[in-house]
Amino acid sequence: MELKQIVTGFTGTENCTMTPITNGLINTTYLVEDHDSEEKFILQKINRQVFHFPEIVTNNHLLINKMLENGNYPLQLVNMKKTLSGNLMMNDDEGESWRMLSFIEDTKTFFKIPDLKTAYESAKAVGSFLNTVNPSDLPDIKIPIPDFINFEKRISDYQMSLQNANTDLLNNAEPEIELTNALLFLPQKWIEMEKEGLLPKRIIHGDPNVRNILFDKNSSPLAVIDLDTVTVSTILYDFGDMARSYTNTLDEDNGNAADNFNPQIYRTVKDGFLLYLKEKLTFEELENLDYAAQVVIYIQAVRFLTDYLNGSTYYSIKYPEHNLDRTRNQLELLRGLRKYLKDDL
Ligand code: GN1
């Protein structure tokens, strides 16, 4: 089935152009320009290797949008467009699921946070999102990727990849493996806290990285996008992932990282995040923000390294060592954060 036929299934027109958007590492995305209605849309193939049940993703999206619409949420929403026959997704001949999303005009995205103000405003935006989707009665959000935030499993997957990887890959990644192994203790406290029920279950975004915020021309956040990973877990994950993404002074892809952690941005991200959430968070959550940032960066390094050792089957790559560069970048970011936290004691 041609891409155009999929678009026609949603819009009814054949008079359109499709341009690939390559910001994300998981789904396949196009900008669709409908020349009949002069409307623009986002068309996305949901990666079935990652999201085994795409209908969980679309149902969660509907529930979250309803809460944001009814809440006091200051940002814009991305809506799903139904097919002409009234479905939220369309399957192609290969059984892949496609969905169409509204397009917000005049926006820009960043691959890294440009300045302190943008860091603060972005963290505030994510905080406002999390505050709105976490009333006292949680909606029936389903888990889109089982074990996504199961760090015990992330570590055992890594250990399995060490056993199965070919010698070339193991040799290339020797320094990164050494560093990663030396830090294997890091997620243990998180794993224990979760087991003991010390971390409340909340609705989280699951991927609040800088690429998932749309900004206006003055760099003010307009929308928090990509609700695919919205799940029920600890809010420490979102704080950690935001800190991970926003404090990086280099693109995540840059493997020549040295001193890529920005401490000022880290402090600012914490302030912005806590603006709406401080009253809501428990003592354990507030006490463990610094710890969570370290663990989430570490787990991201572990995920990139595991994928590298497995032959890069999960994240899209542009060259064979791409995931190794990403691993280096995260490990250096972690080094910077840990140094800063020690200096700060
Ligand atoms: C993936 O799809 P994208 O690029 O926003 C990944 C995140 C990682 C991120 C690292 C479903 O996010 O968990 O943190 O790459 N999403 C999934 O850049 O695995």
Side-chain angles (χ1 to χ4, degrees):
M1 191 184 271
E2 277 188 34
L3 201 52
K4 251 197 183 148
Q5 279 176 278
I6 294 163
V7 174
T8 311
F10 283 96
T11 61
T13 180
E14 282 191 10
N15 186 14
C16 58
T17 39
M18 284 87 69
T19 319
I21 300 180
T22 54
N23 273 7
L25 272 53
I26 304 292
N27 291 327
T28 311
T29 309
Y30 295 88
L31 169 68
V32 175
E33 293 172 76
D34 178 338
H35 302 299
D36 288 337
S37 66
E38 294 193 357
E39 278 179 289
K40 288 181 190 158
F41 299 100
I42 295 293
L43 180 72
Q44 251 184 347
K45 179 168 80 177
I46 302 179
N47 184 335
R48 257 192 199 264
Q49 305 284 89
V50 176
F51 301 100
H52 298 301
F53 300 102
E55 57 283 2
I56 291 186
V57 171
T58 47
N59 286 341
N60 283 352
H61 192 146
L62 280 182
L63 280 174
I64 293 293
N65 270 11
K66 202 183 273 172
M67 298 182 79
L68 295 174
E69 247 163 37
N70 296 335
N72 200 9
Y73 182 62
L75 303 182
Q76 296 190 35
L77 304 188
V78 172
N79 291 305
M80 285 181 288
K81 184 175 171 64
K82 288 189 175 160
T83 63
L84 297 179
S85 45
N87 299 318
L88 287 172
M89 282 180 297
M90 182 163 163
N91 285 346
D92 65 17
D93 300 336
E94 275 109 51
E96 299 287 355
S97 303
W98 294 78
R99 52 124 187 252
M100 195 170 256
L101 303 168
S102 59
F103 176 79
I104 304 179
E105 286 285 352
D106 299 325
T107 66
K108 60 181 179 186
T109 45
F110 294 113
F111 277 81
K112 51 180 192 265
I113 287 281
D115 51 43
L116 278 180
K117 181 174 171 285
T118 316
Y120 183 74
E121 293 301 325
S122 305
K124 212 173 94 181
V126 173
S128 162
F129 174 94
L130 293 171
N131 188 37
T132 316
V133 299
N134 277 289
S136 41
D137 283 338
L138 293 188
D140 189 21
I141 292 291
K142 300 263 178 341
I143 307 231
I145 311 175
D147 294 325
F148 188 66
I149 305 178
N150 176 348
F151 294 165
E152 223 169 357
K153 173 95 174 22
R154 294 286 186 202
I155 298 297
S156 68
D157 287 352
Y158 164 62
Q159 283 166 334
M160 192 100 85
S161 76
L162 283 177
Q163 277 173 27
N164 297 335
N166 75 41
T167 324
D168 282 350
L169 295 180
L170 286 170
N171 286 341
N172 290 347
E174 209 180 311
E176 289 73 29
I177 292 173
E178 199 176 310
L179 211 50
T180 303
N181 288 348
L183 290 168
L184 274 170
F185 67 90
L186 200 53
Q188 293 314 317
K189 179 177 149 198
W190 180 306
I191 294 168
E192 288 309 314
M193 283 194 298
E194 281 211 303
K195 279 191 185 151
E196 287 168 27
L198 291 175
L199 302 174
K201 296 277 179 226
R202 303 188 189 276
I203 309 271
I204 68 161
H205 181 282
D207 194 9
N209 78 52
V210 57
R211 298 191 303 266
N212 284 332
I213 299 195
L214 300 181
F215 298 89
D216 69 13
K217 62 177 186 319
N218 302 318
S219 300
S220 293
L222 272 182
V224 175
I225 61 166
D226 190 353
L227 306 185
D228 298 353
T229 44
V230 164
T231 193
V232 182
S233 184
T234 161
I235 205 162
L236 290 183
Y237 185 81
D238 273 3
F239 172 73
D241 199 51
M242 244 176 23
R244 178 187 83 75
S245 162
Y246 297 4
T247 59
N248 201 338
T249 57
L250 295 174
D251 283 352
E252 197 175 82
D253 286 340
N254 190 332
N256 295 318
D259 277 334
N260 54 339
F261 171 74
N262 184 323
Q264 264 183 312
I265 292 196
Y266 182 68
R267 287 191 291 268
T268 304
V269 167
K270 225 192 230 178
D271 291 344
F273 176 75
L274 288 176
L275 187 76
Y276 292 103
L277 292 168
K278 200 171 182 170
E279 309 302 320
K280 212 167 230 169
L281 300 194
T282 63
F283 175 78
E284 271 81 13
E285 288 172 321
L286 291 168
E287 279 289 288
N288 282 294
L289 294 175
D290 289 341
Y291 169 64
Q294 297 174 62
V295 177
V296 175
I297 299 173
Y298 177 68
I299 291 293
Q300 188 63 65
V302 166
R303 290 176 65 194
F304 284 143
L305 185 54
T306 305
D307 197 33
Y308 177 73
L309 295 173
N310 286 340
S312 296
T313 55
Y314 185 87
Y315 293 110
S316 61
I317 55 163
K318 297 204 171 85
Y319 54 95
E321 307 294 290
H322 204 155
N323 275 318
L324 191 55
D325 277 345
R326 291 169 173 150
T327 309
R328 275 193 204 116
N329 180 296
Q330 296 296 299
L331 288 173
E332 178 61 13
L333 186 69
L334 178 58
R335 194 192 62 76
L337 170 64
R338 283 170 65 76
K339 180 174 176 312
Y340 160 71
L341 291 174
K342 264 188 221 119
D343 289 351
D344 203 37
L345 282 178

